[in-house]
Amino acid sequence: MAKPSIDLMILGALKERPMSAYEMDRLFEARAVRRWVRVSAPSIYRNLLRLREEGLVDGREEKGEAAPPRTVYAITETGEARFGELADELAGLDARVDFDFTPVIANLYVMGEDEGRELLGKIKERYLEGAERLERVLPKVARLEAKANMELRLGTYRLVAGWVERFERDFYAAPEGVRGWVLGADGSPSTPDEAPFSTFDWTALGGGA
């Protein structure tokens, strides 16, 4: 399935200049694109072929004397128009933040305290390690757009680590009655208006209500 973010990055690279899939892979690596968009080398090759079939890019074969033949891709007029559409689409998406650890948070109330604290510690450690990695790399990044994206992730990682620490403190200090799903009179889970789920603010982490 086509991902708008990957298509936008590929078309954007070709707006800069024509290039082969290998050159694009090296370009994304040099610009640290993979730190904010999941686009592997096979994905670049696969999506360039698809974009070519859709008429968004052209490809011409080039043969070198010593090097093997390669396909150099260039963006088409249709691709230029699609680039603008994708940029507008992604810029207009509803605000949303997803974290893969939210199901762990949702099930803490059925775990023992030691197990729960250990899991929360792992989550916090994971985000602190991510922040430390970015802090080491950031001074080496020259391009402003790459640095801005990495700074956004760095701030988010620090924010999450701090939130987990506060949540752990509040969760295990809270009385039993406000942890877990509170059942209504008929035995079904209460609505958010009747009894909010523990002390966890789902909207703060994009989990929905």
Side-chain angles (χ1 to χ4, degrees):
M1 176 184 285
K3 292 193 67 174
S5 58
I6 293 178
D7 283 0
L8 187 65
M9 293 306 301
I10 289 176
L11 293 173
L14 296 179
K15 276 176 67 68
E16 188 173 333
R17 63 178 172 84
M19 65 184 74
S20 67
Y22 176 78
E23 288 175 305
M24 188 175 295
D25 179 51
R26 295 297 87 202
L27 180 70
F28 286 176
E29 183 68 26
R31 294 181 178 176
V33 168
R34 293 187 177 93
R35 292 188 179 275
W36 68 87
V37 178
R38 294 180 180 177
V39 52
S40 63
S43 176
I44 292 172
Y45 283 86
R46 185 171 58 251
N47 282 286
L48 277 169
L49 292 175
R50 176 182 55 79
L51 293 171
R52 187 179 187 179
E53 291 177 357
E54 295 175 359
L56 302 180
V57 305
D58 278 333
R60 70 175 190 278
E61 304 300 321
E62 289 189 355
K63 296 182 180 180
E65 294 182 1
R70 65 174 189 161
T71 303
V72 175
Y73 296 91
I75 193 168
T76 64
E77 287 188 12
T78 306
E80 292 270 7
R82 181 58 179 152
F83 174 86
E85 292 170 357
L86 286 169
D88 185 68
E89 175 186 332
L90 290 172
L93 289 176
D94 291 339
R96 183 176 178 82
V97 180
D98 292 314
F99 295 98
D100 52 10
F101 62 77
T102 51
V104 176
I105 302 294
N107 284 285
L108 284 175
Y109 74 102
V110 295
M111 303 178 192
E113 182 172 338
D114 289 345
E115 181 183 6
R117 286 187 182 277
E118 181 180 354
L119 291 171
L120 290 171
K122 285 183 178 180
I123 295 170
K124 178 183 173 182
E125 181 180 359
R126 172 179 146 206
Y127 279 87
L128 287 176
E129 288 174 350
E132 290 171 1
R133 285 195 300 271
L134 287 174
E135 286 171 339
R136 290 194 297 269
V137 172
L138 263 173
K140 305 174 185 177
V141 178
R143 292 183 65 92
L144 183 60
E145 65 271 38
K147 180 170 288 190
N149 275 285
M150 292 168 71
E151 287 174 342
L152 175 61
R153 285 186 176 271
L154 174 59
T156 302
Y157 289 170
R158 287 173 174 164
L159 178 68
V160 171
W163 178 88
V164 171
E165 184 174 338
R166 293 190 302 274
F167 174 76
E168 179 181 359
R169 180 192 63 224
D170 294 344
F171 184 81
Y172 290 109
E176 290 291 334
V178 296
R179 286 191 249 164
W181 299 102
V182 179
L183 299 182
D186 61 354
S188 62
S190 300
T191 65
D193 289 338
E194 293 171 341
F197 170 56
S198 77
T199 57
F200 180 51
D201 182 359
W202 286 98
T203 58
L205 289 182

